[in-house]
Structures are given as C-alpha cells and as structure tokens.
Amino acid sequence: MDKNTRICIIGGGPAGLSAGMYLEKKGYNNYTILERQDRVGGKCWSPYYNGKRYEMGAIMGVPSYYAVHDVEEFCGITHDGPKLNRNYKDSQGNVIEPFARTLGNIIKNPWMLKMKGQLKKFGDLLETKYKGYDVNGHRGVAEGRYDGYAVTPGREKVQGENPNLKDLALPFKEFCEKNGVPLVQKIWIGPFTSFGYGYFDEIPAAYVLKYLDYQTCMNFVKVNLWTWEQGTQYIWEQLNAHLKNPARLNSTIEKVERKDGKVYVTVNGIVEEYDKIIVTAPLYIPNKRADGQKGMVEYFDARQDEKELFSKIDYERYDVQAFLTTPENHPEISYYVFDNMVPEKLGHLMVYYRRWKETKDQVITTYALRKHKNSKEIPYDECKKMVLDDLKIMHNPAEKVINEWSVYYFPHVFSEDYANGWYDKVEAMQGKYDTFYAGEVMSFGDMDETAEYSRELVDRFF
Ligand SMILES: Cc1cc2nc3c(=O)[nH]c(=O)nc-3n(C[C@H](O)[C@H](O)[C@H](O)COP(=O)(O)OP(=O)(O)OC[C@H]3O[C@@H](n4cnc5c(N)ncnc54)[C@H](O)[C@@H]3O)c2cc1C
C-alpha cells in the first residue's frame, strides 16, 4: 500500500493508538485518530483522588504483554505500579483459603491433589492436542486451523492445521468437562469471571484460553503481575504524546460513507476524506446506552454483510463503583469472593480492589456482572445496591461512592456463531469496503490482545 495512504482510525483506546504506533513504525504517517471523549485510553481510565490515580478500568498486565511492552519501549516508560496482592472471602464475609498453599495442606487435602493433577494434564493438552490455541485473534479456529503469531518474546509466525481447535467454540465449562479437567475452572475463574468476562457455561473456550493461555494464567496464580503507578491510562496518554499525530479528542462522528474507493467521514459537522478506515470503536451495540455510545452500523453506510454479522455481537454489563471508607472499615488487602462468581449470584460483588498498601486514604473499587445469556438483565441501580449491601456483609462498608460506570465490556459472539465461522467471515471482509475492523471483538477484551491485534492488522494489510 502507498505510504501516503490517508488512514482514519476510530477510537483512541489501546487498539486505536497502537494501530497508529504500528502504522508509524511501518512508515505510514498520514493517519488520523478520532476519539469521541475528552481523553484517550478508552477502558483504561485512571482518575485522580487526592493526587493519586485509581483505576476505574484496566488494572494490570502480565510479563507476556508483548504489545504493551512495545508501547512502553516506544514511550520510554515501564510498569512501575504497586505490587498486587489479594485474599479470599466467602459470601458471608469470612476470610477463607480456597487453595491449600503449603505442601502439608496439599497432602491433607485430596481435592487439592486432584486439582493439581488436572492442572498438569490441562497444561499438557494445551501444548499437544490444542497446539496453536493461543495465537492472537481467531482466524481459522472454527475450521481447525491456527494462523498468527506465537505468544513468545519473538512472536514468531505460526500456522498449521489442527482439527481439535474446533473444540474452542464450546463453552469453557463443556470444553473442560470434555477433556476430563473440570476442576481447572476453579483456577481460571478468578481472572476471568470476576474480571467481567462472563460465565464459563456461556463463553466459548477460545476467548478464555486466548487471554488466559496457560502461561498467563500461571502468572495470575503466582501474582506475577504488572501495574502502573500513574494508572493504565498513563500508558496510552504517553503513547498519544509520542505519536506524530495524537488523537483528536471530542470528535463526534456523525456519518461515514464509503464510495468510489474513498471514505468520507463527517466529524463535528465537517466532511473529511480518507482512503482507508480502521474501526476500533464498538461494531454493534444491541441496546440504547446511557453513555451515548453507538455501534458502527448505526453511523456508517453499513452494508448487509456488516449488519448481519455484527448483529451477532453481545457484550457484558460490567459495573464498577469507586468508594471511600472510614479508616476502621478500610480493607487491608483486595478480596475475591468466589461464591459470587456463578450465574446464580448475578449482580453480587465478585471482587474489590485496594490499590495502595500504605494508606487508608484511598479509593476502593468494586466489580459486578449483571447479565447472563440465559437470565434477565439486572437493572443498574439494583445491582449497585446489591454490591453496597455485600460490602457491609464483607465488613468493609462504603462511606461514599465517588465514581461509577457500567461499561460496554468484552464484546464477543456465542458458541453457535463462533462454530459457524463468524471470525473467518469477518476476517474475509477486512479491507472489502476500504474498512478494517480491530479492537476487542476481533481478539479479546484486554489491553494486550487488542494492541497485538492492531499490530497484526497493520502487518497483514498495510
Ligand atoms: C473495569 C475494567 C477492568 C479491566 N481490567 C483489565 C486489566 O486488568 N488488564 C487488561 O489488560 N485489560 C483490562 N480491561 C480491558 C481493557 O481496558 C480493554 O480491553 C481495552 O481498553 C480495549 O481497548 P480498545 O481500544 O479495543 O477499546 P476501548 O478501550 O474501549 O477504547 C475504544 C475507544 O473508542 C472510543 N470510541 C467509541 N466510539 C467512538 C466513536 N463513535 N467515535 C470515536 N471514538 C469512539 C472510546 O471513547 C474509547 O476511547 C479492563 C476493563 C475494564 C472496564
């Protein structure tokens, strides 16, 4: 492609900004990033409280976040945040130890021994039977192929046939049962369901395992995690500051028309002409949202195939509340509540996060899901009340809620559409209308998978 191609990128979150970085690295400088909000970072949102930043969105990374590492190198920053730690409570607020941590406890606990055995078996299966399961993106999976880059520092290109990969379309619960390793769900659930990515009986294994590949999951288990002192938003603010063309904030896109090999974008009332467009903003939102976000099919001259495919996308209703406590009610550490990570406890508090070790004058954040594929969505205010009531049960009642949001979170498709080749159909449309689709739904809803997908997109098409 001509290096002077005029490229419009919609969205100044991790996917859009890293698309800009990778384009620049490849010699494309004629790109424009349009961001609807007055800040960059998207779901990496780190507001200030008393001079310190807390996290309303993304919190952590792992050492295999290679694309995030590219960004850090590009900007000369590093992951310099507080070291994470956590404990566990049951739904009655008692501190518990679900995982026997010492050898003596493991020997006394047959369940733990069985789980360790299944964990080992699972690791082996992923390496052998499911070879290729962890490459970024979903190309070919439904047809039993893998095609992408390995999750290694060198990110080697890997490609091959593996019919077993079709199993990744199954809900993760079924996938584990089919492979005789149901107990591993107890390990994967912590960094999956409580992080808002849905329940194992509804979400295809592909999403679970591409994000939590074995190595990444073990990093969570060992709390070998990255954080950023200035918050995850800082990563993207820094990237934006280092780009030749920083994002244009407060850009309201009213219309996008694609005709005669050109893309016409009406932004804040003015029509701009481009050659190509990369969409990292939501492709489809099935309901009206209070924050005014819309799916691209609503403001683009969407074609029939775009409308049909994107209407299959659903997303999680993931609610975050930020609150203050009195010093005596301040939690001494972050807590996971495993009992509440099942569909029957929809709307309840699953985890609460304490960021700084040394102070009680800080914001604590709570996380809850209020939608499951097979049940009625819990209204926002009802969920909010349930979470505040749960905090009382946990002996850490909130004194004052200072921030809250319900996020358009983890867009995905369900098993049937996954198995029917949804991803291959969308991948076949890349570039068809001078339009490229990136961001969370094309890979997975975390900082690294989205940035990595942008890297690959630039590599493949530009
Ligand atoms: C509570 C929470 C916790 C999380 N924890 C982690 C974590 O610990 N680690 C991790 O890696 N990830 C985490 N994530 C997920 C991570 O933040 C997202 O996956 C990542 O930000 C996705 O990047 P993106 O660019 O695809 O989308 P987004 O971050 O959503 O960015 C999209 C951008 O597009 C803009 N936009 C939308 N519509 C338009 C439009 N019409 N015109 C112009 N701009 C538009 C939005 O304003 C936004 O800035 C978390 C997210 C949340 C909410």
Side-chain angles (χ1 to χ4, degrees), residues 25-123:
K25 282 184 167 188
K26 232 180 152 178
Y28 292 89
N29 292 318
N30 211 349
Y31 64 87
T32 302
I33 304 172
L34 300 175
E35 167 54 54
R36 71 189 273 274
Q37 297 189 83
D38 60 1
R39 62 169 181 89
V40 293
K43 286 180 207 96
C44 299
W45 179 25
S46 317
Y48 285 88
Y49 174 76
N50 267 359
K52 276 203 173 103
R53 296 184 90 164
Y54 64 96
E55 302 287 28
M56 282 300 287
I59 295 173
M60 61 192 91
V62 290
S64 52
Y65 267 27
Y66 300 116
V68 171
H69 190 64
D70 286 349
V71 175
E72 289 183 328
E73 271 193 354
F74 190 78
C75 307
I77 61 167
T78 190
H79 31 280
D80 53 357
K83 193 167 163 35
L84 295 181
N85 218 334
R86 41 54 174 144
N87 254 325
Y88 307 93
K89 282 188 178 176
D90 65 18
S91 58
Q92 298 312 307
N94 304 305
V95 177
I96 52 165
E97 177 43 83
F99 307 109
R101 290 188 208 195
T102 64
L103 191 62
N105 283 339
I106 290 172
I107 291 165
K108 273 189 258 154
N109 187 338
W111 178 86
M112 202 56 213
L113 267 183
K114 209 166 154 191
M115 197 189 50
K116 285 216 139 194
Q118 291 194 10
L119 190 60
K120 163 92 181 53
K121 180 177 170 191
F122 195 43

Side-chain angles (χ1 to χ4, degrees), residues 10-16 34-37 39-44 56-61 65 195 197 251 253 280-282 293-294 299 318 320 367 405 407-409 438-440 444-448 450:
I10 305 189
L34 300 175
E35 167 54 54
R36 71 189 273 274
Q37 297 189 83
R39 62 169 181 89
V40 293
K43 286 180 207 96
C44 299
M56 282 300 287
I59 295 173
M60 61 192 91
Y65 267 27
F195 287 14
Y197 298 124
S251 297
I253 302 175
T280 74
Q293 276 204 88
K294 288 185 178 146
Y299 55 93
Y318 193 41
V320 184
Y367 304 86
W405 69 336
V407 194
Y408 172 86
Y409 196 69
E440 297 186 294
F444 183 78
D446 73 47
M447 294 186 285
D448 193 67
T450 50

